[in-house]
Amino acid sequence: MNNMTIILIMILVLIVVPVVFAKISGRDPMEVFFGSRVKGSAFASKDKEEAKKENTAKKTEKNSDRNELLVTLSEITNYVRRNRFYVIMPGTLQYQGKVANLGAIIVTRGAVIGINCFGYGGTVTAGSGKDDWTQRINGEKKKFASPVVKNSEQEKILRAVLDAEGLKDVECRVIGVFTSATVQLTGAGGTGCYTRNTLKSYLASDECVVSRDLVPKEVGRKLEPYVKRK
């Protein structure tokens, strides 16, 4: 075997074979030669671009805006109209120096339901008991006061107003709804807090629509004098 034949064989082994292998495996030929991605190679640039897109996607998470709040309130209004209930919107009640800032108050035939709106987006994880809840948004982790505690405080005011109007036997509760269309709510079962979609299911449940002989308009009109409007 002459020198030229040996050289051709070496070229085949060192260059042609790695290139063919790279095409089959989808790897960068330079990576096949040197064992790592080479800065500036087509594959490395592709990886960099994909990483950039992934980071950009993560940063698209946002808190609820005014439009999403209005959509939520519009859905509540449609629910009330379909069922011929009574709604006070916004449900800002003032009683003995205390104010319940509610997005809406619904009077069904069985209960008075206050709805507290929360604008947190991203992924929201419920805390235990009265502990703070956690929001993860765009890679950041934040704590905020428990909506359960806030709902309880608002419910006390609503209860006091009903009692003052001689409606002590009327059932009432305050629930929370996260108005962001994309929020992910985890660990919130039994907390009385919902996303927009799960709120629809709750409002359609027997707990809300079963009649206890309330006349929505009569109860609603008794609440109106306590409503604080700008």
Side-chain angles (χ1 to χ4, degrees):
M1 184 178 292
N2 58 36
N3 290 338
M4 182 59 68
T5 302
I6 294 173
I7 291 173
L8 289 174
I9 292 173
M10 291 178 64
I11 291 173
L12 179 66
V13 172
L14 296 177
I15 298 178
V16 177
V17 172
V19 170
V20 172
F21 177 76
K23 288 183 178 180
I24 295 174
S25 65
R27 298 170 64 190
D28 186 354
M30 298 302 290
E31 181 185 2
V32 176
F33 279 119
F34 300 107
S36 62
R37 297 282 170 108
V38 179
K39 184 178 180 180
S41 70
F43 282 85
S45 298
K46 185 177 180 181
D47 284 352
K48 185 177 180 180
E49 186 64 26
E50 289 176 352
K52 183 178 179 180
K53 288 180 179 179
E54 184 177 348
N55 289 334
T56 301
K58 288 180 179 179
K59 292 183 180 180
T60 59
E61 294 178 317
K62 61 183 181 66
N63 290 325
S64 177
D65 57 26
R66 178 177 174 81
N67 286 337
E68 289 176 313
L69 172 61
L70 292 177
V71 168
T72 303
L73 296 178
S74 177
E75 291 172 346
I76 291 171
T77 301
N78 290 336
Y79 163 80
V80 169
R81 185 181 295 115
R82 285 195 307 269
N83 291 280
R84 297 183 180 180
F85 294 155
Y86 191 93
V87 65
I88 298 172
M89 190 179 295
T92 307
L93 296 181
Q94 185 171 357
Y95 182 71
Q96 294 185 345
K98 296 181 179 179
V99 179
N101 291 303
L102 300 170
I105 297 173
I106 300 171
V107 183
T108 73
R109 295 181 188 85
V112 177
I113 305 169
I115 298 181
N116 206 2
C117 297
F118 298 93
Y120 298 97
T123 300
V124 174
T125 303
S128 176
K130 296 182 179 180
D131 292 345
D132 290 347
W133 287 30
T134 304
Q135 177 194 37
R136 288 180 174 82
I137 185 168
N138 296 325
E140 296 183 22
K141 180 179 178 181
K142 304 176 182 180
K143 294 281 188 179
F144 63 96
S146 170
V148 177
V149 174
K150 290 187 175 182
N151 291 344
S152 178
E153 292 170 351
Q154 308 291 287
E155 186 176 306
K156 289 176 182 177
I157 300 172
L158 178 57
R159 177 76 269 167
V161 171
L162 290 171
D163 290 352
E165 287 299 312
L167 301 171
K168 293 184 178 181
D169 294 332
V170 172
E171 183 178 338
C172 79
R173 68 187 73 97
V174 171
I175 62 175
V177 57
F178 287 78
T179 58
S180 167
T182 58
V183 66
Q184 299 293 317
L185 198 57
T186 62
T191 64
C193 291
Y194 306 89
T195 63
R196 278 163 48 182
N197 284 334
T198 57
L199 175 66
K200 293 176 184 177
S201 298
Y202 171 74
L203 292 178
S205 68
D206 289 347
E207 188 173 346
C208 296
V209 298
V210 166
S211 175
R212 296 182 181 86
D213 298 325
L214 291 184
V215 180
K217 185 176 290 187
E218 290 182 4
V219 175
R221 285 177 175 173
K222 288 187 176 182
L223 296 177
E224 287 287 355
Y226 300 89
V227 178
K228 182 181 179 181
R229 292 190 172 92
K230 292 183 179 180

